[in-house]
Amino acid sequence: MHPDASHADAAIARGAAPTAVDSPCADDEIPPRLRIEAVCKRFGASTVLDGIDLAVGAGELVCLLGPSGCGKTTLLRIICGLERPDAGRIWLNGQDITAWPPARRRFGMVFQSYALFPNLTALGNVAYGLGGMDRRFRERRARDMLELVGLAAHASKYPAQLSGGQQQRVALARALAPQPSLLLLDEPLSALDAQVRSLLRDEIRAIQRRLRVSAIMVTHDQEEALAIADRVVLMHRGRIEQQDTPRGLYLRPATPFAARFVGRVNLLRGMRLSDGTLRIGQVALVAPGDAAPPGPVRIAVRPSHLRLLPPGEDSARHALAAWVIDEAFHGPWTSLRLRVPALGEGATLEVELATPAHGALPWRPGSPCRVELPPAALRVIADHDGDDACATI
């Protein structure tokens, strides 16, 4: 958290926070804060959203994740009222708000471009959204919000005098000042450098949890979504491909696209036989208990879940002969690409290994090795999407 943000709890105690709501709802008896039903949107002949159903619980932070053009920003614009759906309904606290204009919805919005007024100070920008209130209350509330985001000492500065991260904190304070019923964030961190982006991501999450405001964040950054969300909604071609907790989405992808898009993965073709055997090239394994039904399958395994046996060790039951064909250093870890003949002609696996303190691994390009393929690390997915890309992604 930003050093000045240590005063956030004091700001909340003085009334800066919205009225507390229930924590993220895992109980079906708690109604969702926002519900989206069968929403469709077309632009000309192009279908951008195709039957979207989604619920956001009280105090929950949901990330809409997906590649460019998947429909996530259009969905956010429909939620905030900037676009009208061609079909479907939007419900807020049980009330149909589909036809409501943005101002009536009282949602807080944080944009990628900050959208601050250059002729207003940080304090003036935050107070701007509090029109109609007593001037002294507006100033006190705006100062409390700046204190919440760690910018109390910068209240009199103009946007041009603030860094990108500071400007985005002002935008966040402005969005939260009117006590919104829902906070919407559209790629709020993509314009920042990596270090500031990581810091501000943690701050946004901490503030959202402290205020317990329901939030929806759009991002194309997988790491960002996994780190910040209570639930990740992965979108693809205008539909929801899969939604789950960050851990569930990463460890249990339901489709080849989900496996490839969320983190790095080795994705191979195989066949699940009726007796439960999983065959990959010349290798036969016992399929995991939650494997796809018999037939063609994709086998996903994360590079970090594979293990190279140290020289001289050959006790692993599922170890395969391999050769190192490439090496890439990433700082905390090193990735090795292996050729594994037993998995099929031209088959390769990528393995991620923690970089040792002395910096040297016992394998180099051209080195023979043995790689362990633990059945518990395999995710078996029915092969229905017709995509021929079955390499390490």
Side-chain angles (χ1 to χ4, degrees), residues 6-52:
S6 59
H7 301 294
D9 290 330
I12 293 173
R14 291 198 299 274
T19 302
V21 296
D22 294 319
S23 58
C25 58
D27 190 337
D28 291 339
E29 296 181 0
I30 302 175
R33 173 74 71 201
L34 182 81
R35 190 168 78 251
I36 300 165
E37 288 185 349
V39 162
C40 298
K41 183 65 178 178
R42 297 175 183 83
F43 292 111
S46 176
T47 299
V48 180
L49 295 173
D50 187 8
I52 299 295

mmCIF file of all heavy atoms in Angstrom, residues 6-52:
data_model
loop_
_atom_site.group_PDB
_atom_site.id
_atom_site.type_symbol
_atom_site.label_atom_id
_atom_site.label_comp_id
_atom_site.label_asym_id
_atom_site.label_seq_id
_atom_site.Cartn_x
_atom_site.Cartn_y
_atom_site.Cartn_z
ATOM 1 N N SER A 6 -1.833 4.546 4.980
ATOM 2 C CA SER A 6 -1.957 4.004 6.327
ATOM 3 C C SER A 6 -3.042 4.715 7.108
ATOM 4 O O SER A 6 -3.502 4.245 8.136
ATOM 5 C CB SER A 6 -0.624 4.118 7.070
ATOM 6 O OG SER A 6 -0.221 5.472 7.143
ATOM 7 N N HIS A 7 -3.472 5.894 6.647
ATOM 8 C CA HIS A 7 -4.523 6.650 7.322
ATOM 9 C C HIS A 7 -5.908 6.264 6.810
ATOM 10 O O HIS A 7 -6.896 6.892 7.167
ATOM 11 C CB HIS A 7 -4.312 8.151 7.099
ATOM 12 C CG HIS A 7 -2.980 8.640 7.596
ATOM 13 N ND1 HIS A 7 -2.644 8.646 8.924
ATOM 14 C CD2 HIS A 7 -1.901 9.125 6.919
ATOM 15 C CE1 HIS A 7 -1.398 9.135 9.058
ATOM 16 N NE2 HIS A 7 -0.943 9.416 7.857
ATOM 17 N N ALA A 8 -5.977 5.241 5.962
ATOM 18 C CA ALA A 8 -7.259 4.901 5.345
ATOM 19 C C ALA A 8 -8.304 4.513 6.376
ATOM 20 O O ALA A 8 -9.471 4.903 6.273
ATOM 21 C CB ALA A 8 -7.082 3.765 4.335
ATOM 22 N N ASP A 9 -7.928 3.720 7.383
ATOM 23 C CA ASP A 9 -8.904 3.284 8.369
ATOM 24 C C ASP A 9 -9.483 4.468 9.135
ATOM 25 O O ASP A 9 -10.667 4.490 9.469
ATOM 26 C CB ASP A 9 -8.265 2.301 9.355
ATOM 27 C CG ASP A 9 -7.960 0.974 8.690
ATOM 28 O OD1 ASP A 9 -8.687 0.613 7.754
ATOM 29 O OD2 ASP A 9 -7.003 0.314 9.107
ATOM 30 N N ALA A 10 -8.637 5.469 9.385
ATOM 31 C CA ALA A 10 -9.129 6.659 10.067
ATOM 32 C C ALA A 10 -10.129 7.400 9.196
ATOM 33 O O ALA A 10 -11.148 7.909 9.671
ATOM 34 C CB ALA A 10 -7.963 7.583 10.424
ATOM 35 N N ALA A 11 -9.848 7.442 7.883
ATOM 36 C CA ALA A 11 -10.773 8.099 6.968
ATOM 37 C C ALA A 11 -12.119 7.396 6.957
ATOM 38 O O ALA A 11 -13.174 8.027 6.941
ATOM 39 C CB ALA A 11 -10.181 8.140 5.555
ATOM 40 N N ILE A 12 -12.085 6.058 6.968
ATOM 41 C CA ILE A 12 -13.330 5.298 6.966
ATOM 42 C C ILE A 12 -14.090 5.527 8.267
ATOM 43 O O ILE A 12 -15.310 5.686 8.285
ATOM 44 C CB ILE A 12 -13.034 3.798 6.770
ATOM 45 C CG1 ILE A 12 -12.488 3.567 5.369
ATOM 46 C CG2 ILE A 12 -14.278 2.955 6.990
ATOM 47 C CD1 ILE A 12 -12.007 2.170 5.136
ATOM 48 N N ALA A 13 -13.361 5.583 9.391
ATOM 49 C CA ALA A 13 -14.006 5.792 10.677
ATOM 50 C C ALA A 13 -14.737 7.123 10.732
ATOM 51 O O ALA A 13 -15.723 7.274 11.453
ATOM 52 C CB ALA A 13 -12.960 5.723 11.794
ATOM 53 N N ARG A 14 -14.280 8.128 9.966
ATOM 54 C CA ARG A 14 -14.925 9.433 9.953
ATOM 55 C C ARG A 14 -16.111 9.472 8.994
ATOM 56 O O ARG A 14 -16.677 10.514 8.737
ATOM 57 C CB ARG A 14 -13.922 10.519 9.549
ATOM 58 C CG ARG A 14 -12.856 10.773 10.585
ATOM 59 C CD ARG A 14 -12.208 12.122 10.309
ATOM 60 N NE ARG A 14 -11.578 12.154 8.998
ATOM 61 C CZ ARG A 14 -10.342 11.728 8.759
ATOM 62 N NH1 ARG A 14 -9.613 11.213 9.730
ATOM 63 N NH2 ARG A 14 -9.825 11.809 7.551
ATOM 64 N N GLY A 15 -16.430 8.303 8.382
ATOM 65 C CA GLY A 15 -17.601 8.263 7.517
ATOM 66 C C GLY A 15 -17.280 8.242 6.052
ATOM 67 O O GLY A 15 -18.156 8.420 5.215
ATOM 68 N N ALA A 16 -15.997 8.010 5.683
ATOM 69 C CA ALA A 16 -15.624 8.021 4.276
ATOM 70 C C ALA A 16 -16.142 6.812 3.539
ATOM 71 O O ALA A 16 -16.289 6.835 2.340
ATOM 72 C CB ALA A 16 -14.095 8.091 4.148
ATOM 73 N N ALA A 17 -16.390 5.733 4.254
ATOM 74 C CA ALA A 17 -16.760 4.490 3.580
ATOM 75 C C ALA A 17 -18.247 4.427 3.312
ATOM 76 O O ALA A 17 -19.047 4.973 4.054
ATOM 77 C CB ALA A 17 -16.355 3.293 4.439
ATOM 78 N N PRO A 18 -18.630 3.735 2.254
ATOM 79 C CA PRO A 18 -20.039 3.456 2.048
ATOM 80 C C PRO A 18 -20.561 2.566 3.163
ATOM 81 O O PRO A 18 -19.801 1.925 3.872
ATOM 82 C CB PRO A 18 -20.068 2.709 0.704
ATOM 83 C CG PRO A 18 -18.781 3.032 0.042
ATOM 84 C CD PRO A 18 -17.807 3.253 1.155
ATOM 85 N N THR A 19 -21.874 2.507 3.286
ATOM 86 C CA THR A 19 -22.467 1.600 4.248
ATOM 87 C C THR A 19 -22.025 0.190 3.938
ATOM 88 O O THR A 19 -22.084 -0.273 2.807
ATOM 89 C CB THR A 19 -24.006 1.684 4.158
ATOM 90 O OG1 THR A 19 -24.373 3.032 4.395
ATOM 91 C CG2 THR A 19 -24.651 0.779 5.184
ATOM 92 N N ALA A 20 -21.577 -0.535 4.954
ATOM 93 C CA ALA A 20 -21.055 -1.879 4.751
ATOM 94 C C ALA A 20 -22.149 -2.788 4.233
ATOM 95 O O ALA A 20 -23.305 -2.711 4.633
ATOM 96 C CB ALA A 20 -20.487 -2.431 6.059
ATOM 97 N N VAL A 21 -21.764 -3.677 3.329
ATOM 98 C CA VAL A 21 -22.691 -4.665 2.806
ATOM 99 C C VAL A 21 -22.160 -6.030 3.143
ATOM 100 O O VAL A 21 -21.078 -6.186 3.695
ATOM 101 C CB VAL A 21 -22.847 -4.514 1.270
ATOM 102 C CG1 VAL A 21 -23.458 -3.183 0.934
ATOM 103 C CG2 VAL A 21 -21.518 -4.689 0.568
ATOM 104 N N ASP A 22 -22.936 -7.034 2.830
ATOM 105 C CA ASP A 22 -22.493 -8.386 3.122
ATOM 106 C C ASP A 22 -21.253 -8.730 2.335
ATOM 107 O O ASP A 22 -21.019 -8.211 1.256
ATOM 108 C CB ASP A 22 -23.618 -9.379 2.780
ATOM 109 C CG ASP A 22 -24.821 -9.185 3.682
ATOM 110 O OD1 ASP A 22 -24.630 -8.970 4.880
ATOM 111 O OD2 ASP A 22 -25.942 -9.235 3.156
ATOM 112 N N SER A 23 -20.449 -9.655 2.872
ATOM 113 C CA SER A 23 -19.251 -10.110 2.188
ATOM 114 C C SER A 23 -19.647 -10.902 0.962
ATOM 115 O O SER A 23 -20.804 -11.285 0.801
ATOM 116 C CB SER A 23 -18.415 -10.974 3.146
ATOM 117 O OG SER A 23 -19.180 -12.057 3.592
ATOM 118 N N PRO A 24 -18.664 -11.170 0.039
ATOM 119 C CA PRO A 24 -18.998 -11.876 -1.202
ATOM 120 C C PRO A 24 -19.861 -13.093 -0.953
ATOM 121 O O PRO A 24 -19.572 -13.911 -0.092
ATOM 122 C CB PRO A 24 -17.617 -12.255 -1.750
ATOM 123 C CG PRO A 24 -16.732 -11.177 -1.256
ATOM 124 C CD PRO A 24 -17.253 -10.817 0.103
ATOM 125 N N CYS A 25 -20.946 -13.203 -1.710
ATOM 126 C CA CYS A 25 -21.966 -14.193 -1.357
ATOM 127 C C CYS A 25 -21.603 -15.558 -1.891
ATOM 128 O O CYS A 25 -21.541 -15.786 -3.071
ATOM 129 C CB CYS A 25 -23.336 -13.770 -1.866
ATOM 130 S SG CYS A 25 -23.453 -13.501 -3.629
ATOM 131 N N ALA A 26 -21.371 -16.475 -0.942
ATOM 132 C CA ALA A 26 -21.225 -17.876 -1.272
ATOM 133 C C ALA A 26 -22.534 -18.591 -0.955
ATOM 134 O O ALA A 26 -22.743 -19.729 -1.335
ATOM 135 C CB ALA A 26 -20.078 -18.489 -0.476
ATOM 136 N N ASP A 27 -23.429 -17.906 -0.213
ATOM 137 C CA ASP A 27 -24.693 -18.477 0.198
ATOM 138 C C ASP A 27 -25.752 -18.143 -0.844
ATOM 139 O O ASP A 27 -25.986 -16.983 -1.162
ATOM 140 C CB ASP A 27 -25.073 -17.886 1.564
ATOM 141 C CG ASP A 27 -26.264 -18.612 2.182
ATOM 142 O OD1 ASP A 27 -27.051 -19.229 1.433
ATOM 143 O OD2 ASP A 27 -26.403 -18.529 3.398
ATOM 144 N N ASP A 28 -26.436 -19.158 -1.363
ATOM 145 C CA ASP A 28 -27.440 -18.928 -2.396
ATOM 146 C C ASP A 28 -28.608 -18.089 -1.897
ATOM 147 O O ASP A 28 -29.383 -17.561 -2.685
ATOM 148 C CB ASP A 28 -27.957 -20.271 -2.937
ATOM 149 C CG ASP A 28 -26.897 -21.001 -3.743
ATOM 150 O OD1 ASP A 28 -25.960 -20.331 -4.205
ATOM 151 O OD2 ASP A 28 -27.014 -22.235 -3.890
ATOM 152 N N GLU A 29 -28.781 -17.980 -0.555
ATOM 153 C CA GLU A 29 -29.886 -17.202 -0.026
ATOM 154 C C GLU A 29 -29.639 -15.704 -0.146
ATOM 155 O O GLU A 29 -30.554 -14.903 -0.027
ATOM 156 C CB GLU A 29 -30.137 -17.585 1.434
ATOM 157 C CG GLU A 29 -30.595 -19.045 1.623
ATOM 158 C CD GLU A 29 -30.843 -19.374 3.070
ATOM 159 O OE1 GLU A 29 -30.650 -18.472 3.921
ATOM 160 O OE2 GLU A 29 -31.242 -20.506 3.353
ATOM 161 N N ILE A 30 -28.405 -15.292 -0.333
ATOM 162 C CA ILE A 30 -28.091 -13.877 -0.480
ATOM 163 C C ILE A 30 -28.271 -13.491 -1.942
ATOM 164 O O ILE A 30 -27.617 -14.044 -2.821
ATOM 165 C CB ILE A 30 -26.647 -13.583 -0.028
ATOM 166 C CG1 ILE A 30 -26.456 -14.004 1.430
ATOM 167 C CG2 ILE A 30 -26.322 -12.103 -0.195
ATOM 168 C CD1 ILE A 30 -25.034 -13.861 1.920
ATOM 169 N N PRO A 31 -29.186 -12.569 -2.238
ATOM 170 C CA PRO A 31 -29.416 -12.211 -3.642
ATOM 171 C C PRO A 31 -28.202 -11.497 -4.226
ATOM 172 O O PRO A 31 -27.476 -10.802 -3.508
ATOM 173 C CB PRO A 31 -30.625 -11.265 -3.571
ATOM 174 C CG PRO A 31 -30.577 -10.688 -2.189
ATOM 175 C CD PRO A 31 -30.017 -11.782 -1.316
ATOM 176 N N PRO A 32 -27.972 -11.636 -5.530
ATOM 177 C CA PRO A 32 -26.836 -10.952 -6.133
ATOM 178 C C PRO A 32 -27.064 -9.447 -6.171
ATOM 179 O O PRO A 32 -28.204 -8.978 -6.260
ATOM 180 C CB PRO A 32 -26.778 -11.540 -7.542
ATOM 181 C CG PRO A 32 -28.172 -12.008 -7.817
ATOM 182 C CD PRO A 32 -28.713 -12.459 -6.495
ATOM 183 N N ARG A 33 -25.978 -8.682 -6.094
ATOM 184 C CA ARG A 33 -26.074 -7.236 -6.228
ATOM 185 C C ARG A 33 -26.495 -6.876 -7.663
ATOM 186 O O ARG A 33 -27.357 -6.043 -7.875
ATOM 187 C CB ARG A 33 -24.724 -6.613 -5.900
ATOM 188 C CG ARG A 33 -24.633 -5.119 -6.151
ATOM 189 C CD ARG A 33 -25.389 -4.340 -5.113
ATOM 190 N NE ARG A 33 -24.702 -4.386 -3.827
ATOM 191 C CZ ARG A 33 -25.297 -4.152 -2.660
ATOM 192 N NH1 ARG A 33 -26.582 -3.855 -2.633
ATOM 193 N NH2 ARG A 33 -24.625 -4.211 -1.535
ATOM 194 N N LEU A 34 -25.869 -7.529 -8.633
ATOM 195 C CA LEU A 34 -26.150 -7.270 -10.042
ATOM 196 C C LEU A 34 -26.419 -8.595 -10.734
ATOM 197 O O LEU A 34 -25.721 -9.585 -10.482
ATOM 198 C CB LEU A 34 -24.948 -6.579 -10.698
ATOM 199 C CG LEU A 34 -25.116 -6.210 -12.174
ATOM 200 C CD1 LEU A 34 -25.899 -4.906 -12.296
ATOM 201 C CD2 LEU A 34 -23.754 -6.065 -12.852
ATOM 202 N N ARG A 35 -27.413 -8.619 -11.603
ATOM 203 C CA ARG A 35 -27.698 -9.827 -12.367
ATOM 204 C C ARG A 35 -27.890 -9.461 -13.833
ATOM 205 O O ARG A 35 -28.648 -8.537 -14.162
ATOM 206 C CB ARG A 35 -28.943 -10.540 -11.832
ATOM 207 C CG ARG A 35 -29.124 -11.931 -12.440
ATOM 208 C CD ARG A 35 -30.180 -12.753 -11.718
ATOM 209 N NE ARG A 35 -31.531 -12.353 -12.104
ATOM 210 C CZ ARG A 35 -32.374 -11.698 -11.334
ATOM 211 N NH1 ARG A 35 -32.000 -11.329 -10.115
ATOM 212 N NH2 ARG A 35 -33.589 -11.387 -11.771
ATOM 213 N N ILE A 36 -27.217 -10.179 -14.693
ATOM 214 C CA ILE A 36 -27.295 -9.978 -16.138
ATOM 215 C C ILE A 36 -27.953 -11.218 -16.730
ATOM 216 O O ILE A 36 -27.508 -12.339 -16.480
ATOM 217 C CB ILE A 36 -25.892 -9.775 -16.734
ATOM 218 C CG1 ILE A 36 -25.226 -8.546 -16.104
ATOM 219 C CG2 ILE A 36 -25.936 -9.644 -18.242
ATOM 220 C CD1 ILE A 36 -23.741 -8.472 -16.341
ATOM 221 N N GLU A 37 -29.011 -11.013 -17.505
ATOM 222 C CA GLU A 37 -29.777 -12.136 -18.029
ATOM 223 C C GLU A 37 -29.825 -12.101 -19.550
ATOM 224 O O GLU A 37 -30.367 -11.158 -20.149
ATOM 225 C CB GLU A 37 -31.219 -12.103 -17.494
ATOM 226 C CG GLU A 37 -31.348 -12.455 -16.029
ATOM 227 C CD GLU A 37 -32.802 -12.523 -15.578
ATOM 228 O OE1 GLU A 37 -33.685 -12.085 -16.359
ATOM 229 O OE2 GLU A 37 -33.060 -13.001 -14.463
ATOM 230 N N ALA A 38 -29.269 -13.111 -20.189
ATOM 231 C CA ALA A 38 -29.408 -13.351 -21.637
ATOM 232 C C ALA A 38 -29.121 -12.113 -22.473
ATOM 233 O O ALA A 38 -29.823 -11.832 -23.455
ATOM 234 C CB ALA A 38 -30.805 -13.896 -21.936
ATOM 235 N N VAL A 39 -28.093 -11.377 -22.120
ATOM 236 C CA VAL A 39 -27.774 -10.133 -22.829
ATOM 237 C C VAL A 39 -27.111 -10.431 -24.169
ATOM 238 O O VAL A 39 -26.153 -11.212 -24.250
ATOM 239 C CB VAL A 39 -26.876 -9.227 -21.964
ATOM 240 C CG1 VAL A 39 -26.174 -8.166 -22.813
ATOM 241 C CG2 VAL A 39 -27.711 -8.552 -20.888
ATOM 242 N N CYS A 40 -27.626 -9.808 -25.222
ATOM 243 C CA CYS A 40 -27.070 -9.924 -26.568
ATOM 244 C C CYS A 40 -26.827 -8.520 -27.126
ATOM 245 O O CYS A 40 -27.565 -7.581 -26.823
ATOM 246 C CB CYS A 40 -28.015 -10.670 -27.508
ATOM 247 S SG CYS A 40 -28.346 -12.381 -27.028
ATOM 248 N N LYS A 41 -25.793 -8.403 -27.945
ATOM 249 C CA LYS A 41 -25.494 -7.132 -28.592
ATOM 250 C C LYS A 41 -24.875 -7.390 -29.953
ATOM 251 O O LYS A 41 -23.957 -8.204 -30.081
ATOM 252 C CB LYS A 41 -24.540 -6.292 -27.741
ATOM 253 C CG LYS A 41 -24.229 -4.920 -28.319
ATOM 254 C CD LYS A 41 -25.460 -4.037 -28.358
ATOM 255 C CE LYS A 41 -25.135 -2.645 -28.901
ATOM 256 N NZ LYS A 41 -26.351 -1.792 -28.981
ATOM 257 N N ARG A 42 -25.394 -6.684 -30.945
ATOM 258 C CA ARG A 42 -24.857 -6.795 -32.300
ATOM 259 C C ARG A 42 -24.507 -5.413 -32.817
ATOM 260 O O ARG A 42 -25.186 -4.430 -32.512
ATOM 261 C CB ARG A 42 -25.877 -7.449 -33.228
ATOM 262 C CG ARG A 42 -26.232 -8.871 -32.858
ATOM 263 C CD ARG A 42 -27.349 -9.434 -33.739
ATOM 264 N NE ARG A 42 -27.732 -10.779 -33.321
ATOM 265 C CZ ARG A 42 -28.583 -11.036 -32.341
ATOM 266 N NH1 ARG A 42 -29.152 -10.043 -31.686
ATOM 267 N NH2 ARG A 42 -28.873 -12.287 -32.020
ATOM 268 N N PHE A 43 -23.461 -5.344 -33.586
ATOM 269 C CA PHE A 43 -23.112 -4.143 -34.327
ATOM 270 C C PHE A 43 -23.123 -4.527 -35.796
ATOM 271 O O PHE A 43 -22.201 -5.197 -36.286
ATOM 272 C CB PHE A 43 -21.747 -3.607 -33.909
ATOM 273 C CG PHE A 43 -21.708 -3.068 -32.500
ATOM 274 C CD1 PHE A 43 -20.997 -3.720 -31.513
ATOM 275 C CD2 PHE A 43 -22.402 -1.912 -32.159
ATOM 276 C CE1 PHE A 43 -20.957 -3.235 -30.220
ATOM 277 C CE2 PHE A 43 -22.376 -1.418 -30.865
ATOM 278 C CZ PHE A 43 -21.657 -2.081 -29.888
ATOM 279 N N GLY A 44 -24.191 -4.148 -36.485
ATOM 280 C CA GLY A 44 -24.341 -4.575 -37.870
ATOM 281 C C GLY A 44 -24.533 -6.078 -37.934
ATOM 282 O O GLY A 44 -25.364 -6.647 -37.227
ATOM 283 N N ALA A 45 -23.730 -6.739 -38.758
ATOM 284 C CA ALA A 45 -23.835 -8.191 -38.901
ATOM 285 C C ALA A 45 -22.998 -8.936 -37.866
ATOM 286 O O ALA A 45 -23.022 -10.164 -37.811
ATOM 287 C CB ALA A 45 -23.392 -8.601 -40.304
ATOM 288 N N SER A 46 -22.257 -8.200 -37.022
ATOM 289 C CA SER A 46 -21.346 -8.820 -36.054
ATOM 290 C C SER A 46 -22.024 -8.975 -34.694
ATOM 291 O O SER A 46 -22.524 -8.002 -34.121
ATOM 292 C CB SER A 46 -20.077 -7.964 -35.908
ATOM 293 O OG SER A 46 -19.231 -8.480 -34.922
ATOM 294 N N THR A 47 -22.048 -10.201 -34.191
ATOM 295 C CA THR A 47 -22.576 -10.474 -32.855
ATOM 296 C C THR A 47 -21.438 -10.320 -31.850
ATOM 297 O O THR A 47 -20.483 -11.102 -31.850
ATOM 298 C CB THR A 47 -23.172 -11.885 -32.767
ATOM 299 O OG1 THR A 47 -24.250 -11.991 -33.695
ATOM 300 C CG2 THR A 47 -23.680 -12.175 -31.372
ATOM 301 N N VAL A 48 -21.549 -9.314 -30.994
ATOM 302 C CA VAL A 48 -20.488 -9.006 -30.028
ATOM 303 C C VAL A 48 -20.731 -9.713 -28.701
ATOM 304 O O VAL A 48 -19.788 -10.160 -28.044
ATOM 305 C CB VAL A 48 -20.383 -7.480 -29.821
ATOM 306 C CG1 VAL A 48 -19.289 -7.130 -28.832
ATOM 307 C CG2 VAL A 48 -20.129 -6.789 -31.155
ATOM 308 N N LEU A 49 -21.994 -9.810 -28.288
ATOM 309 C CA LEU A 49 -22.365 -10.539 -27.071
ATOM 310 C C LEU A 49 -23.499 -11.483 -27.425
ATOM 311 O O LEU A 49 -24.472 -11.088 -28.068
ATOM 312 C CB LEU A 49 -22.800 -9.574 -25.965
ATOM 313 C CG LEU A 49 -21.736 -8.619 -25.424
ATOM 314 C CD1 LEU A 49 -22.356 -7.620 -24.451
ATOM 315 C CD2 LEU A 49 -20.603 -9.380 -24.752
ATOM 316 N N ASP A 50 -23.379 -12.728 -26.962
ATOM 317 C CA ASP A 50 -24.319 -13.766 -27.373
ATOM 318 C C ASP A 50 -24.842 -14.521 -26.148
ATOM 319 O O ASP A 50 -24.279 -15.523 -25.726
ATOM 320 C CB ASP A 50 -23.625 -14.726 -28.347
ATOM 321 C CG ASP A 50 -24.579 -15.741 -28.952
ATOM 322 O OD1 ASP A 50 -25.802 -15.613 -28.739
ATOM 323 O OD2 ASP A 50 -24.112 -16.666 -29.637
ATOM 324 N N GLY A 51 -25.914 -13.983 -25.534
ATOM 325 C CA GLY A 51 -26.567 -14.681 -24.430
ATOM 326 C C GLY A 51 -25.761 -14.702 -23.149
ATOM 327 O O GLY A 51 -25.551 -15.780 -22.573
ATOM 328 N N ILE A 52 -25.331 -13.549 -22.658
ATOM 329 C CA ILE A 52 -24.508 -13.474 -21.448
ATOM 330 C C ILE A 52 -25.401 -13.538 -20.208
ATOM 331 O O ILE A 52 -26.322 -12.744 -20.033
ATOM 332 C CB ILE A 52 -23.680 -12.172 -21.422
ATOM 333 C CG1 ILE A 52 -22.729 -12.117 -22.615
ATOM 334 C CG2 ILE A 52 -22.928 -12.045 -20.107
ATOM 335 C CD1 ILE A 52 -21.658 -13.177 -22.611
#
